[in-house]
Amino acid sequence: MSNASKNHDPDRYKLAAQNRKARHDFAIIESIEVGIVLTGPEVKSLRMGRAQIAEAYATDRHSDIWLFNAHIPEYAQALKDKPQEPRRPRKLLLHRKQINKLIGQITRDGMTLVPLDIHFNERGIAKVTLGLAKGKNKSDKREAIKEREWNREKSRLLKSNNA
């Protein structure tokens, strides 16, 4: 079972891109669903599932939250007279209170905003799930791997005892 189907109802929305490494590299404190400003060809490219957000991050710029380094390739059938930059910064849509809260947590608490996925909601609108995260060090990552392996072993043992 994939990570997306565990966390979200697959009938609710279509996943366009996912950052699988984010949960490994960061401890996600809180997640928030936000809108994103896109052009028409970018939406079509997202619907085809061609986006990559593995190296993407979100931060404040001019008292707004922007998504940087997200790769949404050009749509092949789009007009060539208006080429799009695949890695251009994209504005994220939040309420002013949410923006102020996130900027405060980023600057004061040393947290990071990591995009966890890009998806389309039930109305067909592109949304980004942002995670407010704190970076893990090597020992934290090792501990998480040990815990995951122990839980797998426990479930195997319980399954074999019950069978």
Side-chain angles (χ1 to χ4, degrees), residues 42-93:
E42 288 176 330
V43 174
K44 293 221 176 201
S45 187
L46 271 179
R47 287 195 191 282
M48 294 176 65
R50 297 178 54 209
Q52 297 172 355
I53 58 171
E55 297 95 29
Y57 63 96
T59 190
D60 65 318
R61 178 202 266 183
H62 309 298
S63 69
D64 278 322
I65 304 291
W66 289 73
L67 181 66
F68 292 95
N69 216 20
H71 185 267
I72 301 175
E74 286 191 34
Y75 184 61
Q77 286 80 21
L79 294 174
K80 298 297 179 195
D81 60 338
K82 295 181 183 176
Q84 293 290 324
E85 177 63 34
R87 290 197 183 270
R88 73 178 178 86
R90 293 169 178 89
K91 187 175 180 180
L92 297 177
L93 304 172

Side-chain angles (χ1 to χ4, degrees), residues 20-45:
R20 294 172 181 245
K21 226 175 163 191
R23 295 191 189 277
H24 176 72
D25 291 340
F26 298 96
I28 308 297
I29 311 298
E30 179 184 344
S31 64
I32 183 171
E33 185 181 77
V34 300
I36 184 169
V37 177
L38 297 170
T39 62
E42 288 176 330
V43 174
K44 293 221 176 201
S45 187

